[in-house]
Amino acid sequence: MAAPDAVGNGKAERSMAGVGFIGTIIVGLIAGWLASRITGSRNGLLTNLVLGVVGAIFFGWLGGHLGLVAVGWVGNIIGGTVGAVILIVLYRALKRS
């Protein structure tokens, strides 16, 4: 049985696990592509995949601390996109310094 999250509903650990391995790749590709369109960056397929998956993990970590939980396909795509946009913005800021 899952331990309850901050809200007490036990859904925190289901974020990316709820879509499976292939689903994680699909979510990562979609989230990375959306993030690259939002930020105006031109990334390749592999970069979009990495940004989307890492962005979703980052959003899951950050969201867990803020009491936000991404559940299911749509939630993971939104969370992955938000996380990937944050990562792109941080990368650009560090690159300029």
Side-chain angles (χ1 to χ4, degrees):
M1 183 159 161
D5 62 6
V7 193
N9 58 18
K11 292 182 181 177
E13 66 187 35
R14 289 191 242 165
S15 64
M16 287 304 282
V19 296
F21 179 73
I22 301 297
T24 300
I25 292 172
I26 294 168
V27 165
L29 285 170
I30 294 169
W33 179 81
L34 286 171
S36 69
R37 296 300 166 248
I38 291 168
T39 60
S41 57
R42 294 181 161 235
N43 299 321
L45 186 67
L46 183 60
T47 303
N48 284 343
L49 171 63
V50 171
L51 281 173
V53 171
V54 173
I57 293 168
F58 175 72
F59 180 81
W61 173 81
L62 181 63
H65 285 78
L66 299 174
L68 303 171
V69 179
V71 178
W73 285 85
V74 174
N76 282 304
I77 290 171
I78 292 169
T81 302
V82 169
V85 166
I86 292 170
L87 291 176
I88 291 170
V89 169
L90 287 174
Y91 173 75
R92 286 182 179 170
L94 290 174
K95 190 175 175 182
R96 289 183 188 150
S97 334

